[in-house]
Amino acid sequence: MSGKRPEPVRTTTPARIRLAAADGGPVEVAPPPPNAPLVVRGLTVSYGEKPALFSVDATVAAGALTAVIGPNGAGKSTFLKAALGIAPRVSGTVTAFGRPLEEARGRIAYVPQRASVDWDFPVRVIDVALMGLYREVGLLGRITGARRARAMAALARVGMDGFADRQIGRLSGGQQQRVFLARALAQSADLYLLDEPFAGVDAATEKAIIAVLRDLRAEGRSVVCVHHDLATVTDYFDRVLMLNLRRIAEGPVAEAFTAESLQATYGGRLETAHIAGLHLTA
């Protein structure tokens, strides 16, 4: 064999990106808008020898509510963490608003799973909300009256301003979730990533949270939520990203949230009656 390397294959459509499909064949992915809030390409994550995500690509649409759904262990939370650089990536690229992630991090707010937080830490509700200003103020920065007012306004948006001096551990699960959303709101971000914001909350809190998320959308901001309740996807969200270690489907809910894609995402484990009850449009 000759030691000469073969010439790279050139595509006649350079504006499109070629990625590997599940069967190893090539697929074409349309280029994202120049200033898309978040663009992930070829994201692969592994915990030891166990793969968590493999070659996932996704584009978060501007001014939309996007649900990330899939079975337990599908890599939904890992997707958010790896996209933010919280979890290490084996490979893949991430850009935000057309720039490298590190240059746009100040425009992104993250709300972790409530179960991952130490609620015994002795901190007040107002202190948690003020944490949303950390990037602006710095570790030893001065909390001015104007900044405190911003934190209080964020708490008011989620109905928690009356609890400002309450210790965070004394709140109910739903109240704690509202406070962590207020922390993100105080940041005045353009992209919000929320990991299971509706998990373990009461109906009133769920209603309050979705109302705030819709307000953010009306303001032109973008929201991505890891979500478990399939019955509310069509009511709550504009777009969906369906994961099961790989990307199964992505797009507007009316187009991507189908019986076929659901069965592919959940490995055929969903009962026909369950799918029928979702009132799918496709």
Side-chain angles (χ1 to χ4, degrees):
M1 294 179 60
S2 170
K4 183 180 179 180
R5 293 185 178 180
E7 290 295 322
V9 177
R10 301 187 182 278
T11 175
T12 57
T13 55
R16 302 181 74 83
I17 302 170
R18 299 181 70 82
L19 299 172
D23 61 1
V27 295
E28 291 189 344
V29 177
N35 295 313
L38 191 71
V39 177
V40 176
R41 288 292 180 264
L43 179 63
T44 297
V45 180
S46 179
Y47 296 127
E49 296 183 355
K50 182 180 179 181
L53 290 171
F54 183 76
S55 195
V56 171
D57 48 283
T59 301
V60 172
L65 301 181
T66 299
V68 181
I69 66 172
N72 292 335
K76 302 182 297 298
S77 297
T78 297
F79 172 77
L80 294 191
K81 293 176 182 177
L84 288 171
I86 299 172
R89 302 190 292 266
V90 174
S91 63
T93 62
V94 180
T95 59
F97 302 100
R99 302 165 61 190
L101 177 66
E102 290 301 324
E103 296 180 11
R105 194 177 292 278
R107 299 177 66 180
I108 305 172
Y110 171 59
V111 180
Q113 288 186 23
R114 191 170 59 84
S116 67
V117 178
D118 179 8
W119 297 109
D120 292 327
F121 190 77
V123 64
R124 298 175 303 161
V125 165
I126 183 61
D127 298 323
V128 174
L130 285 167
M131 291 176 187
L133 303 176
Y134 167 74
R135 289 186 177 276
E136 176 182 323
V137 177
L139 185 61
L140 301 176
R142 179 169 172 264
I143 301 299
T144 63
R147 287 170 176 154
R148 188 179 183 86
R150 278 173 55 188
M152 286 297 295
L155 288 171
R157 289 188 70 172
V158 298
M160 291 300 295
D161 48 323
F163 296 80
D165 293 320
R166 184 83 57 92
Q167 205 276 332
I168 191 72
R170 294 175 56 196
L171 302 180
S172 69
Q175 290 171 331
Q176 290 170 344
Q177 189 74 328
R178 294 191 197 204
V179 173
F180 263 65
L181 177 56
R183 182 185 69 168
L185 294 174
Q187 191 174 328
S188 299
D190 296 308
L191 171 63
Y192 292 81
L193 305 180
L194 297 86
D195 197 348
E196 300 189 34
F198 304 114
V201 303
D202 54 54
T205 293
E206 181 164 331
K207 183 178 180 180
I209 290 175
I210 193 60
V212 171
L213 300 187
R214 286 169 174 163
D215 286 344
L216 291 173
R217 177 181 60 188
E219 295 167 7
R221 306 177 196 272
S222 308
V223 180
V224 179
C225 297
V226 171
H227 192 60
H228 276 289
D229 184 6
L230 298 180
T232 57
V233 169
T234 55
D235 291 333
Y236 288 178
F237 298 97
D238 309 304
R239 297 178 62 84
V240 64
L241 170 63
M242 306 175 78
L243 294 177
N244 193 345
L245 303 187
R246 298 174 181 268
R247 185 190 73 168
I248 306 298
E250 180 189 24
V253 168
E255 299 174 10
F257 192 62
T258 66
E260 181 181 8
S261 59
L262 281 166
Q263 289 291 20
T265 302
Y266 289 85
R269 294 195 295 267
L270 293 179
E271 296 181 1
T272 303
H274 185 185
I275 294 178
L278 298 177
H279 304 296
L280 304 178
T281 58

